[in-house]
Amino acid sequence: PAKEASLSTTTMGVLALPSLASRVGLAPRRASARRASSIVTRAAGADAVPAKEARAAAEATKVVARKGVIETLGFGGWAPEVINGRVAQIAFVAGVGAELATGETLPTQFHDHVFSLAFVSVLVALASFMPNVQAKKFTAEPTSKGAFGPFSPGKEMLHGRLAMIGLAAAFAMELHSGTPLFAR
């Protein structure tokens, strides 16, 4: 009996999701949206639940698959470019701000403040992996969370790339000229 209840609950859960049901052959492929929204799921010994609520409950309890170290930190992984982009964004803003305040060039700042640069780099790397430790519905990979208002993983990647290019260009120009690029 328990096996039958489990099977019927699973079958009813699949029928409540028309796209999944059509893929496994349990429902006709052309289920209308109105009909799909009115399908009610029923577990053994439980009250009927509308399909919309069943989908919401399923999404709330969804477990996100985590990637391994090689997939994350490898050549095609998301972490190297995202972390380098985040560090470059902070370094660019801090470097230009310090240059405006002190008149030191970026190469001089990098030379004189190696510990600060290393500390911030490690801090950003650790903070980038914190969602893997704390979050249940998304991972540290930016695309797992999606957009938040004007912020999106694609924009973060673009801004990180621009910061890396800008930092390298400003560093090279100041190294070549020996004078601050942004100082007054």
Side-chain angles (χ1 to χ4, degrees):
K3 189 173 184 178
E4 291 173 6
S6 167
L7 181 61
S8 68
T9 303
T10 305
T11 305
M12 289 304 294
V14 169
L15 287 175
L17 300 171
S19 61
L20 180 61
S22 63
R23 276 188 255 151
V24 295
L26 293 175
R29 290 196 182 271
R30 296 184 185 205
S32 69
R34 185 169 14 124
R35 182 175 161 233
S37 65
S38 66
I39 293 176
V40 177
T41 60
R42 184 182 307 248
D47 294 332
V49 178
K52 188 175 183 179
E53 290 177 22
R55 278 190 221 108
E59 284 296 319
T61 59
K62 183 177 169 184
V63 177
V64 179
R66 310 267 184 211
K67 292 185 178 178
V69 174
I70 300 301
E71 292 96 4
T72 301
L73 296 173
F75 186 73
W78 65 267
E81 187 173 8
V82 169
I83 292 171
N84 288 334
R86 290 173 180 172
V87 170
Q89 291 174 58
I90 292 171
F92 186 82
V93 171
V96 170
E99 187 172 300
L100 290 171
T102 64
E104 289 182 337
T105 64
L106 290 174
T108 303
Q109 291 176 44
F110 277 54
H111 178 268
D112 294 346
H113 306 288
V114 173
F115 175 75
S116 298
L117 181 62
F119 177 75
V120 169
S121 298
V122 168
L123 191 66
V124 168
L126 290 175
S128 295
F129 290 109
M130 228 359 96
N132 276 350
V133 176
Q134 296 179 336
K136 304 251 187 288
K137 295 182 183 178
F138 54 90
T139 65
E141 185 174 359
T143 56
S144 71
K145 185 156 171 85
F148 177 71
F151 307 105
S152 69
K155 287 181 183 176
E156 179 187 15
M157 190 73 74
L158 175 66
H159 294 154
R161 289 172 180 166
L162 292 173
M164 287 186 269
I165 291 169
L167 189 63
F171 190 90
M173 289 178 5
E174 289 183 1
L175 189 63
H176 178 68
S177 70
T179 61
L181 185 64
F182 300 102
R184 300 177 223 164

